[in-house]
Amino acid sequence: MIHVDEITKQYEYESGCTCPVLSVLSNGARAIYKYPNNPQGKIILFNEYFSCSIAEILQVTSPRFGIAFSDEHTRVCKEKIDKDWSYYSGIGFFSEYLENVSPISRRSAKYASNISETARIILLDEILNNADRHSENILIDFREGSNALYAIDYSHAIGDPEWDCNSLKIGDCESPHVWIENRDCYDMLISAGGIVTAESLHKEAERIRMSINAEAINGIINSIPDDWKKDLGSSRLEAVEQYVLTRVTGIDSICDMILKERGM
């Protein structure tokens, strides 16, 4: 587990409901760090880590991520931040800080080098019940020779930041909720050349069926810190496993729903 050596900037609520911080890790990398005492609690840390792990398995281009901890040895920039180290202490989630990136727009998306991942991103959001995919949550990298799209921010995955066993409605694969909420962003990707057809969707659906199973999900859940597990409780962890597996099982119904919403 990597250490948060320094916290250099506090993001306000308007920049994200978790109020993350810009940090420097013990390996010298700059990262966005979400700490246990964030306004949404440890469930957000799980949402991020679990979702990014699923995205990694499906090869959705995303920033590097992982688990980090901060303690009394973490330096806090007192000139910019009015809180001390104790406010940020504990085991949290980090994702790589990307330089020279911007939220996608209809104009910039046309230059994306990995626009072919559009159908994959859409189905990732569907199996995670992530209805928070807007332009701020897909960044485009303008470094020379890159122009890659990065899918980020899964604070609202699994339905919302405060999901529980009762809110996970097994059998909602045919609901267009996620598609409708994310439609503007998806339309932007599709208009830029992202292919979302029966062929592309079912191809990605097969990838999901082959990759996301009980063993894979258990592996992710087993890798989270014990205090996250204790905070969420075994019943919620079991519920989210069954919920995602049910959506994977129903992935063809999800594809059919998307095609219907597109009028195809």
Side-chain angles (χ1 to χ4, degrees):
M1 191 185 305
I2 199 163
H3 183 253
V4 178
D5 280 359
E6 186 175 7
I7 294 172
T8 60
K9 178 180 179 179
Q10 171 80 64
Y11 292 95
E12 300 303 323
Y13 192 88
E14 292 75 15
S15 299
C17 65
T18 55
C19 299
V21 294
L22 180 60
S23 65
V24 179
L25 304 180
S26 56
N27 63 1
R30 298 173 78 193
I32 302 297
Y33 178 63
K34 297 188 177 183
Y35 43 92
N37 192 38
N38 77 82
Q40 300 292 330
K42 292 178 184 175
I43 194 168
I44 290 297
L45 309 179
F46 172 82
N47 285 2
E48 289 281 11
Y49 181 77
F50 181 82
S51 301
C52 286
S53 297
I54 296 289
E56 182 177 57
I57 292 172
L58 296 181
Q59 299 181 325
V60 170
T61 302
S62 307
R64 290 188 291 272
F65 70 95
I67 297 169
F69 73 100
S70 55
D71 56 18
E72 68 272 19
H73 300 295
T74 299
R75 300 183 300 275
V76 178
C77 181
K78 296 181 179 179
E79 292 79 14
K80 298 180 180 179
I81 302 172
D82 61 2
K83 300 177 178 67
D84 66 18
W85 66 267
S86 62
Y87 183 79
Y88 305 104
S89 66
I91 301 175
F93 169 85
F94 79 86
S95 60
E96 174 190 13
Y97 177 73
L98 300 174
E99 305 277 0
N100 301 318
V101 296
S102 300
I104 60 163
S105 64
R106 290 191 178 275
R107 181 177 181 181
S108 65
K110 296 177 182 178
Y111 300 99
S113 58
N114 57 333
I115 196 68
S116 60
E117 292 181 24
T118 296
R120 193 177 307 170
I121 291 170
I122 291 171
L123 291 181
L124 170 68
D125 288 338
E126 286 286 351
I127 64 171
L128 293 173
N129 194 9
N130 177 38
D132 192 41
R133 181 69 69 198
H134 50 76
S135 61
E136 297 285 334
N137 287 342
I138 294 190
L139 305 178
I140 185 165
D141 183 353
F142 287 113
R143 287 177 297 184
E144 185 176 354
S146 178
N147 288 359
L149 294 178
Y150 288 86
I152 66 164
D153 199 342
Y154 295 92
S155 296
H156 288 75
I158 325 298
D160 62 60
E162 298 178 353
W163 61 268
D164 58 26
C165 299
N166 294 323
S167 68
L168 300 182
K169 298 178 181 178
I170 301 294
D172 60 353
C173 294
E174 296 179 6
S175 169
H177 169 68
V178 172
W179 173 266
I180 290 171
E181 291 297 317
N182 298 342
R183 186 195 300 271
D184 288 346
C185 183
Y186 296 158
D187 284 347
M188 194 181 303
L189 295 174
I190 292 168
S191 66
I195 299 174
V196 180
T197 61
E199 181 179 2
S200 66
L201 286 171
H202 286 290
K203 178 181 178 181
E204 294 300 338
E206 184 61 24
R207 173 197 291 267
I208 289 171
R209 271 193 296 267
M210 295 291 291
S211 305
I212 307 301
N213 50 38
E215 181 179 4
I217 294 175
N218 277 324
I220 296 169
I221 291 175
N222 287 337
S223 69
I224 70 174
D226 288 341
D227 68 328
W228 295 9
K229 293 177 185 177
K230 183 178 179 180
D231 195 74
L232 270 73
S234 59
S235 59
R236 271 203 290 193
L237 293 174
E238 291 170 4
V240 77
E241 176 184 352
Q242 289 306 311
Y243 180 75
V244 173
L245 286 175
T246 300
R247 291 185 75 79
V248 169
T249 301
I251 195 71
D252 284 334
S253 294
I254 290 173
C255 291
D256 292 342
M257 175 274 297
I258 291 170
L259 294 170
K260 180 180 178 182
E261 289 296 312
R262 294 203 66 210
M264 301 177 70

